[in-house]
Amino acid sequence: MRQVVDTMYFAEMLESHFEDVDKYINTFCFYIQHLLERASTENLIAFVEKMMKEFEIQAGRILIPTKIVTIFIAMIQGLFNLYKSSEGIHRCDPGQLQFLVSQIVSILKQQGYLSAFVDTLLEFDKSRRTSLYKEINNLSRLDANK
């Protein structure tokens, strides 16, 4: 898996998948998730901030809500997987997890993508048998339990 991620060139991939944006988005989501699950705290925060800033810049253009939301769901899943990781040093702090996820949800809400986010997230959980929607709603309890 590491080799696959290390050899991805997204500009070339986008050109090669021009006719199949879904395939590109899925590969990009895999890449994001894989990176976030193993990222250091500094890289994690820098990546999330960069993605959110890019989203704010691009929001004025015509964006497809479900495609954008899918990328942010992959980011949130990567954050949760890092939080659950047993790799001590790269483990995400519960307060930090709550802050980063709430920042992502907040910017989606601010840009008018909240309903698309909720719908896509419920569909994501159903199709992949995950419980991300429930985990996001339980975030406020994480800090109290640690």
Side-chain angles (χ1 to χ4, degrees):
M1 189 153 48
R2 172 70 71 185
Q3 272 185 322
V4 172
V5 171
D6 287 345
T7 58
M8 287 182 178
Y9 297 96
F10 282 94
E12 290 86 345
M13 280 180 55
L14 183 55
E15 287 172 16
S16 68
H17 294 101
F18 189 72
E19 297 299 318
D20 191 358
V21 176
D22 285 330
K23 189 173 183 179
Y24 175 75
I25 297 282
N26 288 340
T27 308
F28 187 51
C29 287
F30 165 79
Y31 180 71
I32 288 171
Q33 215 177 308
H34 183 76
L35 282 182
L36 291 183
E37 286 172 18
R38 289 150 184 83
S40 68
T41 304
E42 299 78 29
N43 289 341
L44 183 80
I45 293 167
F47 179 77
V48 172
E49 284 177 354
K50 185 175 181 179
M51 286 293 286
M52 291 193 302
K53 191 177 284 182
E54 191 62 36
F55 177 53
E56 280 184 287
I57 291 167
Q58 301 297 332
R61 300 172 187 208
I62 299 170
L63 299 173
I64 304 167
T66 53
K67 309 297 181 205
I68 300 303
V69 162
T70 302
I71 291 170
F72 281 96
I73 289 171
M75 286 173 64
I76 292 170
Q77 190 174 36
L79 292 169
F80 272 104
N81 289 347
L82 181 68
Y83 170 75
K84 295 173 191 171
S85 171
S86 58
E87 292 179 27
I89 194 165
H90 291 303
R91 197 165 188 277
C92 191
D93 172 79
Q96 186 181 59
L97 174 70
Q98 184 176 359
F99 175 75
L100 290 170
V101 172
S102 66
Q103 289 283 91
I104 293 168
V105 174
S106 172
I107 198 166
L108 287 167
K109 183 179 181 182
Q110 189 180 19
Q111 299 294 342
Y113 283 76
L114 194 59
S115 61
F117 172 70
V118 172
D119 292 346
T120 309
L121 186 56
L122 290 170
E123 192 58 43
F124 179 89
D125 276 348
K126 186 178 168 186
S127 65
R128 300 188 188 189
R129 294 190 178 101
T130 60
S131 57
L132 210 51
Y133 184 82
K134 186 178 175 184
E135 289 177 82
I136 292 169
N137 286 331
N138 291 336
L139 264 177
S140 57
R141 288 185 234 154
L142 279 179
D143 240 350
N145 294 337
K146 294 288 173 189

